[in-house]
């Protein structure tokens, strides 16, 4: 595959926007993966190349929160996420390009619906009655199971992974929002890495586009992480909907 100027003009601005949005309100993958597809990459290559840029970009956000990690929970969760994402990536590669294409739009629409309906009461403990912490052994088991399953999804597709982890860590594991956010970033970064390794070994990453995109993703994460934006989801919603609408039209008519 040959890199073209059109590919760079489509992908780099959208991936920058995805990194910026991901650091503010989550859901950046709902923009970055469609960006690679809109640029004309086959589904497997688009997913793999998106993993390259998102892995590098997520490192910025993860570094900011590392001091808030629950290390014992995070350590085992990271191992489960690595295993799950490697499995998910293998399943993705076993599926045909046509099947991935057919599944892509409904999956993105469902994920977008879950991400965009997220609001403060879903993740902010002060907005709902406080729940007692889980026993440590149960919290460990839940965290590992969540990381394995969501990691598998991340390896297969990916968009919305951070949102799902955050909601499950706060809702089922009952972590406070700061600890949940830190563990989410660490586990998400690990699942990205596990998936990326599988795609790299199978030659699916388009480096010529993925590396420039990674720089733009890092810039988006860096700028977005320095801002405090109220009602971030309200800002993100129309952007995600427009990108998904364009992708939908492209798949149907081009």
């Amino acid at each position: 595959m040959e890199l073209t100027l059109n590919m760079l003009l489509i992908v780099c601005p959208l991936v920058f926007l995805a990194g910026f949005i991901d650091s503010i309100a989550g859901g950046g993958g709902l923009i970055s993966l469609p960006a690679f597809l809109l640029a004309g990459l086959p589904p497997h290559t688009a997913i793999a190349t998106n993993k390259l840029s998102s892995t590098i970009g997520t490192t910025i956000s993860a570094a900011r929160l590392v001091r808030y990690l629950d290390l014992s929970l995070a350590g085992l969760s990271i191992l489960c996420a690595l295993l799950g994402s490697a499995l998910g990536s293998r399943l993705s590669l076993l599926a045909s390009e046509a099947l991935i294409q057919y599944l892509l739009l409904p999956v993105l629409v469902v994920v977008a619906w879950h991400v965009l309906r997220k609001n403060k009461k879903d993740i902010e403990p002060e907005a709902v009655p406080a729940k007692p912490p889980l026993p440590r052994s149960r919290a460990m088991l839940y965290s590992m199971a969540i990381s394995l399953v969501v990691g598998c999804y991340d390896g297969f597709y990916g968009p919305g992974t951070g949102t799902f982890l955050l909601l499950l860590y706060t809702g089922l594991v009952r972590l406070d929002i700061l600890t949940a956010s830190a563990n989410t970033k660490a586990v998400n970064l690990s699942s990205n890495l596990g998936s990326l390794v599988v795609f790299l070994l199978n030659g699916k990453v388009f480096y010529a586009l993925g590396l420039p995109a990674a720089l733009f993703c890092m810039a988006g994460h860096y700028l977005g992480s320095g801002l405090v934006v109220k009602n971030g989801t309200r800002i993100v919603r129309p952007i995600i909907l427009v990108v998904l609408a364009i992708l939908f039209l492209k798949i149907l008519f081009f």
Side-chain angles (χ1 to χ4, degrees):
M1 184 180 299
E2 185 177 347
L3 179 67
T4 66
L5 179 59
N6 283 342
M7 288 180 177
L8 291 170
L9 291 177
I10 292 170
V11 167
C12 290
L14 286 176
V15 168
F16 170 83
L17 186 61
F20 185 83
I21 283 172
D22 206 40
S23 65
I24 292 173
L30 291 166
I31 295 174
S32 61
L33 178 56
F36 289 104
L37 293 165
L38 288 170
L41 273 63
H44 285 144
T45 305
I47 294 170
T49 308
N50 182 54
K51 287 298 177 191
L52 176 63
S53 62
S54 63
T55 298
I56 295 173
T58 303
T59 304
I60 301 296
S61 299
R64 293 175 55 241
L65 294 171
V66 66
R67 64 184 181 277
Y68 301 114
L69 280 174
D70 183 321
L71 291 175
S72 59
L73 281 183
L76 291 173
S77 297
I78 284 170
L79 293 177
C80 290
L82 286 168
L83 177 62
S85 63
L87 175 61
S89 299
R90 291 298 305 165
L91 291 174
S92 179
L93 289 170
L94 289 173
S96 68
E97 296 276 5
L99 178 60
I100 295 290
Q101 186 93 337
Y102 291 136
L103 290 176
L104 186 63
L105 276 178
V107 168
L108 286 175
V109 169
V110 171
V111 171
W113 182 77
H114 280 285
V115 170
L116 296 177
R117 71 189 289 268
K118 179 187 67 174
N119 52 49
K120 284 189 175 183
K121 72 179 181 180
D122 293 318
I123 59 173
E124 292 190 2
E126 64 270 18
V128 295
K131 295 180 181 179
L134 288 177
R136 192 64 179 177
S137 59
R138 189 182 301 177
M140 190 80 70
L141 180 63
Y142 285 3
S143 182
M144 291 170 64
I146 289 166
S147 303
L148 179 67
V149 173
V150 178
C152 187
Y153 164 75
D154 192 25
F156 195 87
Y157 270 131
T161 296
T163 298
F164 295 148
L165 287 172
L166 184 61
L167 293 177
L168 291 168
Y169 285 163
T170 53
L172 289 181
V173 188
R174 300 183 190 175
L175 298 178
D176 64 87
I177 184 61
L178 196 55
T179 303
S181 296
N183 281 26
T184 290
K185 289 299 182 185
V187 170
N188 196 6
L189 177 59
S190 301
S191 65
N192 279 338
L193 283 169
S195 177
L196 178 60
V197 168
V198 173
F199 285 122
L200 285 172
L201 292 175
N202 285 272
K204 294 297 183 180
V205 177
F206 185 25
Y207 295 99
L209 183 58
L211 292 175
L215 295 177
F216 278 83
C217 187
M218 289 177 65
H221 272 275
Y222 180 79
L223 291 178
S225 64
L227 298 178
V228 178
V229 178
K230 295 182 179 179
N231 299 317
T233 302
R234 186 176 300 173
I235 297 170
V236 170
R237 182 177 290 111
I239 299 172
I240 289 178
L241 293 178
V242 168
V243 172
L244 290 181
I246 294 172
L247 177 62
F248 185 80
L249 292 172
K250 180 182 185 296
I251 290 175
L252 285 182
F253 300 112
F254 296 94

